[in-house]
Amino acid sequence: MSEKPQFDIVLQEQQRLSDVLSAIEETARQNRMKIASHDAYTAELEKERLESVSWREKNSLTEKLIENDKFDPARYLTEFTMTDSPYFGIVGISDSDKRIGKKEYLIGKQGFLSHDNRALVVDWRKAPISRFFYDYEVGEEYLETIQGREREGVITRRDTVEIVKRSLRCFECGEDLYELAGGRWVKKEKQFHTTSDTKLANQDHRMVDIVSLISPDQFHMITAEATDGCTMITGGAGSGKTVVSLHRLSCLQFNDPDRFTPERCLVLMFNKVLRNYVRQTSADLLGSTRVDTFSAWALSAITALTGKVIKPVVGDVLTLQKKSSRLSGLLARYVKEVQEADPLQDLWRFYGQPYVLEAMFVDGKGKETFLADLRRRYSIRSQAVSFADLSVLLRLCQLREQDGPVREALGWYAHVIVDEGQDLSLLELEAILAATDKRNSITLSADSKQKILSWVDGADFDIFHKNLKEVGVSNETLSVSYRCPKEIMALAARISSRESEQIGLHSGVLEYHRAADEEGALVMLRRLVEQLVDEDPNSLTAVICKKKSDEKMLHKALTGINGLHQQGELTFEPGAVVTIAHQVKGVEFANVILYDPNAKDFRKSALDRNLLYVCVTRACRRLDIVYWRELAAGLA
């Protein structure tokens, strides 16, 4: 049996939690009674109508049923679903208005109104109140407009609590941290809390809900009132671009549910790994809102527009040419000059235009072979579309019916989140914008230092950003890394030439391990992975290499280690995973081991430098670099 808490403040908070849980249970009971009473009366009216032989009486009872249905409590009594963890924040104020005076608010992921109409928990998305929690520190004066009234006063407390399964587990008050450990409450000094800590506790390393950790800068972006046009968020690795985008959409859906319904919103992620990484969090935040990759969404959009189910082939030697920004203007020209009913025939015909061939084959090499293949495809009505063709085909369909059924078919999205925008081509970005309604509401996050795809022109994003001025664009920048420790962030800043732009907040580990040869490096790697997994079985360690062939070799070298994930599967269960650099953008791990990042594999090109930056900034706690050849520039 656990000891009683030794601290009065903890006793007070346990009593508060008990009172809130009792109110939740009583409200749920009262609501069930109201619904049961209404249902019983409805059943009674239906029975009377069924038994009645008078048509006048039947009509009268029908009218009563219709009137009774208008007041069905099931329609307006919202179920409180966060009973296991009803709130995470406590903020106190001393308002200059004596009618308000001293007051405390509980901040949670869902608002709770008791059966006697007391607002016991405020939804974090209700910015006028939650701003007290996110924007201010204890002792600061506030001046806010709430429900049309000027409010001023002083913040008297700002505490965070961790409630798990209806039980208080942790309580931060000022500089003190009260924690339940081994059945006893202990007092510690407040420490910097990262998302990695939460993942370790949950034994789940997917993206976590961070509403209690949102910074003032992030909160301003999340709750910005401007909802038309594009909000572009830039910032380095770990600064919270994706987190801000997802929470911003959650705010939009909460505050304007009629406009931003889940089916009229879309979240587009960089790849399948990143899509899977955020899906759990997005389900909690955004309900049934679709989260997908550009390619998967584009395929469904093309099907909606054309009625054709496309099955793209993998691999296209002309990917670079088909992603060219020059095709954007040429598509508009082609649509004005040429009429073609069938969408795929339209695509082959477009590629065959002399001015398109000139743009795609500047030096003329391969043009005649490509043109001969196009003629063959056109004659046999080929459907052999590659992934590189999708953005061209989708834009072609959009331009054919710019203001017609195309937007209805795509759902006229009220808001679209675009993640990692720097690695999308101009055509892809234009296709996304064309799929929004006339208010062009988009949240677009990007970081030029994390551009890693060689077939996307770096100028494409700049062109799109410039064009956004026509629909309206606001620019926001995040500069603090909440993921990476100071030591790792300093290394990342050196790699990306960002020394003055970005900092880390907490301390971690950065170590180099040099071996004499490849055999020695593999022995060292295995020993290190075993050590990290044994020290903390709930953590997730990623071994990142550059080449696919190395991935297979490294997985074989680590076979037999407890918790080693299956080869080729990047999941977020505890243990160890081996993966390649191009797969890890946007995700994070407790520990990262970068295997032999040598100067030959990571050359001095901008893309390889960016890829190296992405690799080192995946680490939340520690980064180990195991090598045996000359290190890439920036690491030494």
Side-chain angles (χ1 to χ4, degrees), residues 417-464:
I417 289 176
V418 185
D419 200 51
E420 304 288 356
Q422 76 281 345
D423 274 312
L424 289 173
S425 70
L426 181 61
L427 282 177
E428 289 168 334
L429 291 166
E430 288 179 340
I432 294 167
L433 182 62
T436 62
D437 63 24
K438 293 180 180 179
R439 296 168 81 169
N440 303 121
S441 184
I442 288 180
T443 300
L444 174 62
S445 66
D447 178 15
S448 61
K449 301 292 185 181
Q450 295 189 65
K451 180 187 177 301
I452 63 173
L453 297 184
S454 59
W455 54 82
V456 175
D457 191 330
D460 282 18
F461 188 78
D462 295 332
I463 295 171
F464 183 69

Side-chain angles (χ1 to χ4, degrees), residues 521-522 524-530 532-533 540-547 550-555 557-558 561 564-565 570 575-581 583-584 589 591-596 615 618 623-624 626:
L522 291 174
M524 197 174 288
L525 173 67
R526 184 179 180 94
R527 188 184 306 127
L528 185 56
V529 173
E530 287 177 330
L532 292 174
V533 173
L540 177 58
T541 297
V543 178
I544 303 175
C545 56
K546 175 74 184 291
K547 297 180 293 188
D550 284 343
E551 180 186 20
K552 295 178 181 178
M553 179 269 293
L554 291 175
H555 194 276
L558 297 176
I561 291 179
L564 181 66
H565 294 194
L570 185 48
V577 61
V578 180
T579 187
I580 58 172
Q583 285 290 325
V584 297
F589 310 92
N591 313 307
V592 166
I593 303 174
L594 191 53
Y595 179 76
D596 197 35
C615 289
R618 300 308 98 194
L623 169 66
D624 291 277
V626 176

Side-chain angles (χ1 to χ4, degrees), residues 122-404:
V122 177
D123 193 297
W124 72 271
R125 294 164 292 189
K126 197 170 182 179
I129 299 296
S130 62
R131 184 169 285 117
F132 289 141
F133 178 78
Y134 288 112
D135 271 8
Y136 296 95
E137 295 294 335
V138 175
E140 281 193 84
E141 296 182 350
Y142 62 82
L143 178 61
E144 297 287 346
T145 302
I146 299 177
Q147 295 181 340
R149 293 173 56 190
E150 294 291 330
R151 294 267 295 271
E152 59 180 300
V154 177
I155 302 296
T156 58
R157 70 180 295 184
R158 185 199 177 280
D159 304 331
T160 60
V161 298
E162 182 181 348
I163 301 169
V164 180
K165 295 182 179 178
R166 303 162 64 93
S167 177
L168 186 65
R169 295 289 181 87
C170 187
F171 174 53
E172 291 185 10
C173 177
E175 294 303 313
D176 296 326
L177 170 66
Y178 300 89
E179 191 172 57
L180 186 62
R184 300 180 60 184
W185 283 93
V186 294
K187 184 178 179 180
K188 300 179 179 178
E189 190 174 318
K190 187 175 178 180
Q191 298 175 336
F192 182 79
H193 185 73
T194 69
T195 55
S196 179
D197 299 326
T198 303
K199 292 176 182 181
L200 289 170
N202 294 342
Q203 300 182 39
D204 188 335
H205 293 265
R206 287 170 289 187
M207 183 176 284
V208 297
D209 186 351
I210 55 89
V211 289
S212 63
L213 305 177
I214 293 171
S215 71
D217 286 345
Q218 292 173 332
F219 185 70
H220 289 161
M221 296 180 197
I222 289 167
T223 57
E225 293 184 1
T227 58
D228 294 355
C230 177
T231 297
M232 193 171 94
I233 302 172
T234 57
S239 59
K241 298 184 297 297
T242 304
V243 163
V244 167
S245 298
L246 294 174
H247 285 75
R248 172 170 159 72
L249 180 52
S250 180
C251 253
L252 294 176
Q253 293 180 334
F254 175 79
N255 291 296
D256 194 350
D258 292 335
R259 176 181 171 189
F260 298 104
T261 58
E263 61 272 13
R264 295 193 64 233
C265 296
L266 175 68
V267 178
L268 294 177
M269 307 309 294
F270 173 66
N271 57 23
K272 290 181 181 179
V273 172
L274 191 51
R275 177 198 66 188
N276 296 341
Y277 184 64
V278 303
R279 268 188 172 172
Q280 181 189 32
T281 300
S282 64
D284 294 338
L285 279 173
L286 310 174
S288 58
T289 301
R290 181 176 180 180
V291 180
D292 225 324
T293 62
F294 174 83
S295 294
W297 167 74
L299 281 170
S300 62
I302 290 168
T303 300
L305 294 171
T306 67
K308 293 181 178 292
V309 177
I310 306 294
K311 294 183 179 180
V313 296
V314 178
D316 191 329
V317 294
L318 296 175
T319 294
L320 181 62
Q321 291 91 329
K322 291 176 180 179
K323 297 282 187 180
S324 170
S325 58
R326 298 182 66 184
L327 296 191
S328 174
L330 300 182
L331 275 168
R333 173 183 172 181
Y334 169 75
V335 168
K336 288 181 180 178
E337 296 177 352
V338 180
Q339 293 295 321
E340 177 67 62
D342 183 87
L344 292 182
Q345 294 292 83
D346 208 9
L347 179 66
W348 310 137
R349 197 168 176 182
F350 165 71
Y351 283 144
Q353 299 303 304
Y355 50 85
V356 177
L357 291 168
E358 184 180 338
M360 292 177 65
F361 300 93
V362 179
D363 57 5
K365 293 181 180 178
K367 182 173 74 172
E368 293 304 321
T369 302
F370 178 64
L371 183 57
D373 183 56
L374 282 177
R375 288 169 177 158
R376 179 190 64 81
R377 293 187 183 212
Y378 191 84
S379 65
I380 66 172
R381 306 182 75 84
S382 171
Q383 296 193 25
V385 174
S386 74
F387 280 97
D389 292 317
L390 294 183
S391 56
V392 185
L393 179 57
L394 180 53
R395 280 302 288 139
L396 188 53
C397 294
Q398 289 174 329
L399 289 168
R400 285 294 184 199
E401 297 186 78
Q402 190 169 12
D403 295 314

